[in-house]
Amino acid sequence: MSRPYKFWRVMWVGLVAYTTAAYPHNMSVKIDTARGQAIASQVCISCHGVEGGGATGLAPNLTGQHVEYLYKQLLDYKTKSGDKAPKRNNPIMASFSSVLSEQDMWDVSAYFAGLPEKLAFAHSQKMAAHGQQIWRGGIAERGVPACAACHGPTGAGMPVQYPRLAGQWQDYTITQLQAFQQGERANNDPMQAIAERLSDKEIKALAEYIAGLR
């Protein structure tokens, strides 16, 4: 068995094992999107806007995101019993999520997931073309897998397992990949390992391509 094959097999198995175990999927929860809208209008509107697209590029576009993924992120902003810090380090989100119950988190997640999609767009064709190469083929010599392998060719992701990325703001994608690099975001081990292998230029190129992905 060749070394490249071993690497990709280990990386793939690691990704599947992490995501299937980590993402909650509580089918017994009765979701109330009207209640989720009320929570969003009181708690989330200042950063994510009325339509969920993000008031600034540093706040993520939440429209059309998978419900389970949004729920898990809210959960990861909370410090779990026995932990010294949350898996995602963001004082603002930690403050907001701390007052949300499990039902609140499901309701508000479902509300944002059901909103009409608001999509960013690429500004530089040259940067986007570089990002496309990484998205589709990865960087084999540095052990960076193709992003499309998990997030899909069109960036639609997969419910429960992988987030939707298509049309996400460039600034937000950049800050999150940097957060994975620096250990400020520690809720996905494979993504931390992948981000550490990317240069600043490659991160910006990926962010540019993702913004225009459909």
Side-chain angles (χ1 to χ4, degrees):
M1 186 182 294
S2 66
R3 187 177 181 278
Y5 177 84
K6 285 182 179 179
F7 170 80
W8 293 116
R9 185 176 184 278
V10 170
M11 178 61 76
W12 176 253
V13 170
L15 283 165
V16 172
Y18 173 81
T19 52
T20 55
Y23 282 78
H25 190 60
N26 190 345
M27 295 303 293
S28 66
V29 172
K30 185 176 181 180
I31 293 175
D32 185 343
T33 53
R35 187 168 175 274
Q37 181 179 18
I39 295 169
S41 65
Q42 296 170 14
V43 180
C44 315
I45 190 172
S46 59
C47 293
H48 296 288
V50 179
E51 299 176 340
T56 70
L58 295 179
N61 177 4
L62 302 180
T63 60
Q65 188 56 268
H66 307 308
V67 176
E68 294 91 345
Y69 180 78
L70 291 177
Y71 171 90
K72 182 183 182 293
Q73 301 316 297
L74 286 171
L75 203 62
D76 286 347
Y77 285 120
K78 298 186 178 189
T79 302
K80 296 184 176 77
S81 177
D83 291 345
K84 294 182 179 179
K87 294 293 185 182
R88 290 194 66 170
N89 183 18
N90 184 309
I92 295 174
M93 282 303 303
S95 175
F96 285 136
S97 65
S98 68
V99 301
L100 299 178
S101 68
E102 180 177 354
Q103 184 67 55
D104 293 337
M105 291 190 293
W106 280 115
D107 290 343
V108 77
S109 295
Y111 167 69
F112 280 120
L115 289 174
E117 294 175 1
K118 291 178 65 65
L119 303 174
F121 56 89
H123 300 291
S124 167
Q125 288 187 340
K126 183 177 179 180
M127 288 288 285
H130 185 195
Q132 183 183 54
Q133 292 176 347
I134 302 170
W135 181 273
R136 293 183 176 180
I139 308 172
E141 64 272 20
R142 270 184 274 142
V144 176
C147 309
C150 293
H151 296 284
T154 62
M158 184 184 299
V160 186
Q161 294 182 319
Y162 309 114
R164 170 190 171 84
L165 297 181
Q168 187 58 264
W169 307 117
Q170 287 94 326
D171 288 347
Y172 183 74
T173 298
I174 290 168
T175 59
Q176 293 313 297
L177 286 172
Q178 289 174 340
F180 278 126
Q181 279 185 331
Q182 298 160 11
E184 294 177 0
R185 181 170 176 177
N187 66 338
N188 188 306
D189 293 342
M191 277 306 305
Q192 282 186 272
I194 292 167
E196 287 171 359
R197 301 183 181 115
L198 295 172
S199 68
D200 289 345
K201 183 178 179 180
E202 289 161 350
I203 285 176
K204 290 177 181 177
L206 273 171
E208 191 69 15
Y209 178 66
I210 286 169
L213 195 54
R214 304 289 185 268

